[in-house]
């Protein structure tokens, strides 16, 4: 093969190689861009899932706290009723005690 032909084929091969490298670089950039976009989507989805999970847990905790609050209030109401009943049962006894002490105080002064 004559030299000019060889030189021409080498130039063609170099041009083909440059085209292949340029295409590969473009393809690489496209893939990197797509990968970055997908990574951003994954991060966004994970953040949304985390926020939803946090809201669910917060709602569950609020329900639990409200139930505990109601239980404490119910216990307090029950205790109050018991104390009122006990006090009502002892009213007569308390009045007698107060009258006795009053009479003792009056007799002590005379």
């Amino acid at each position: 093969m004559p030299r000019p032909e060889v030189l021409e084929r080498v130039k063609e091969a170099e041009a083909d190689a440059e085209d292949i490298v340029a295409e590969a670089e473009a393809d690489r950039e496209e893939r990197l861009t797509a990968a970055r976009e997908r990574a951003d989507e994954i991060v966004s989805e994970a953040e949304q899932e985390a926020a939803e999970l946090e809201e669910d847990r917060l709602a569950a905790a609020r329900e639990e706290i409200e139930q505990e609050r109601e239980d404490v209030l119910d216990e307090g109401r029950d205790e109050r009723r018991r104390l009122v009943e006990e006090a009502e049962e002892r009213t007569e006894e308390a009045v007698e005690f107060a009258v006795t002490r009053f009479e003792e105080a009056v007799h002590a002064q005379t």
Side-chain angles (χ1 to χ4, degrees):
M1 195 179 303
R3 284 186 148 196
E5 261 182 50
V6 171
L7 184 58
E8 186 60 33
R9 289 188 78 186
V10 168
K11 286 182 180 180
E12 286 176 8
E14 286 177 347
D16 288 346
E18 286 176 7
D19 289 344
I20 291 171
V21 168
E23 284 180 29
E25 287 179 358
D27 185 49
R28 180 181 68 96
E29 288 301 318
E30 286 178 16
R31 288 177 186 234
L32 282 174
T33 299
R36 286 184 184 113
E37 288 173 358
R38 181 63 185 135
D40 288 344
E41 289 174 11
I42 291 170
V43 167
S44 179
E45 290 170 5
E47 287 173 345
Q48 184 176 354
E49 287 177 18
E52 289 171 4
L53 181 61
E54 180 182 4
E55 273 191 40
D56 291 346
R57 286 182 176 173
L58 185 58
R62 284 185 176 142
E63 286 178 21
E64 185 178 332
I65 289 169
E66 183 60 26
Q67 183 60 51
E68 288 178 19
R69 178 183 171 275
E70 287 301 318
D71 292 347
V72 168
L73 288 173
D74 287 345
E75 288 176 17
R77 287 182 195 112
D78 290 344
E79 180 67 12
R80 180 183 168 274
R81 276 189 220 106
R82 186 188 66 75
L83 290 172
V84 167
E85 287 174 5
E86 187 178 301
E88 287 173 351
E89 289 173 3
R90 298 182 69 191
T91 301
E92 190 174 314
E93 183 181 325
V95 169
E96 287 178 22
F97 177 76
V99 169
T100 302
R101 294 288 251 167
F102 177 73
E103 288 174 350
E104 289 173 358
V106 169
H107 288 304
Q109 291 179 356
T110 56

